[in-house]
Amino acid sequence: MTFQIYNKKLGFWVNESDIPTQDPDLGNTEVPLPGEVGQGITYAFDESIQMWRSYTAEQWESYLNKKLVGTPTRDDEFQISVGKQLLNLSKTVITLTNQLAFTTHSVTELQTQVKELQTQLKQLTEVQQPAETKEEAQHV
C-alpha cells in the first residue's frame, strides 16, 4: 500500500511513502495522484472531497494568496468592529478632555476676574463710606 503525504494546512503534495507519516502537520491518503509530479503542475489534496486538485503555476499562486491571506472570519470582523469602536471612543475621550481643559481654564480666568472685581468693589465701598460720613457730619 502506498500513501501520498500532503501538507495539511495548504494541501500540497509532499512525497509518497509505504508508511503513513506521524507528523501532525502532514496528512496521509491512499488516493493516488492524478498525474506525474514535476510536469509544471502542483497537486493539492482537498480533504473535503478526498481528491487531488491540479494547479498551474498561476493557479497555485492565486490559491496560495487565498489560503494564506484568506477572507476575514466573523471573529476577525468582530475584532475589527470593536477596534474601530475603541478608536472612536478614544477620539471622543480626547475631544472631551480638551474641552474640559479649556472649560477649566475659562473658569479659572472668570474666578480671577471675580476676585479682582470684588477687590475693586470693596475699595470703592471703602472710599464712598468715609465720604458719606463726612457729609453726615457736615449736616449735623
Side-chain angles (χ1 to χ4, degrees):
M1 184 178 301
T2 303
F3 293 94
Q4 302 300 323
I5 315 268
Y6 61 93
N7 176 287
K8 281 187 177 180
K9 182 176 181 183
L10 299 176
F12 63 85
W13 181 83
V14 175
N15 67 8
E16 185 176 272
S17 174
D18 292 332
I19 303 168
T21 182
Q22 300 301 314
D23 187 327
D25 294 330
L26 301 176
N28 302 290
T29 183
E30 294 178 29
V31 177
L33 289 173
E36 290 185 35
V37 175
Q39 301 298 318
I41 300 293
T42 300
Y43 296 104
F45 191 69
D46 187 335
E47 292 179 335
S48 67
I49 58 173
Q50 293 294 302
M51 289 181 64
W52 289 98
R53 294 188 184 267
S54 304
Y55 296 94
T56 64
E58 290 174 0
Q59 291 171 328
W60 182 247
E61 185 176 342
S62 176
Y63 171 83
L64 285 178
N65 285 336
K66 288 178 187 172
K67 273 287 209 183
L68 296 176
V69 174
T71 56
T73 64
R74 287 183 181 220
D75 286 341
D76 294 335
E77 290 172 355
F78 175 75
Q79 288 178 354
I80 290 167
S81 173
V82 169
K84 286 179 180 179
Q85 290 175 9
L86 287 173
L87 178 62
N88 288 334
L89 287 172
S90 296
K91 287 179 181 178
T92 302
V93 166
I94 289 170
T95 300
L96 291 173
T97 300
N98 289 338
Q99 288 177 348
L100 178 60
F102 177 76
T103 303
T104 302
H105 179 72
S106 297
V107 167
T108 303
E109 284 183 358
L110 288 172
Q111 286 174 335
T112 302
Q113 290 175 4
V114 165
K115 286 181 184 177
E116 289 173 359
L117 288 173
Q118 285 174 337
T119 303
Q120 290 174 4
L121 180 61
K122 185 178 178 182
Q123 290 171 350
L124 285 173
T125 304
E126 289 173 356
V127 168
Q128 284 182 345
Q129 282 179 350
E132 288 174 1
T133 307
K134 288 181 185 176
E135 285 179 19
E136 287 176 9
Q138 290 173 355
H139 288 288
V140 177

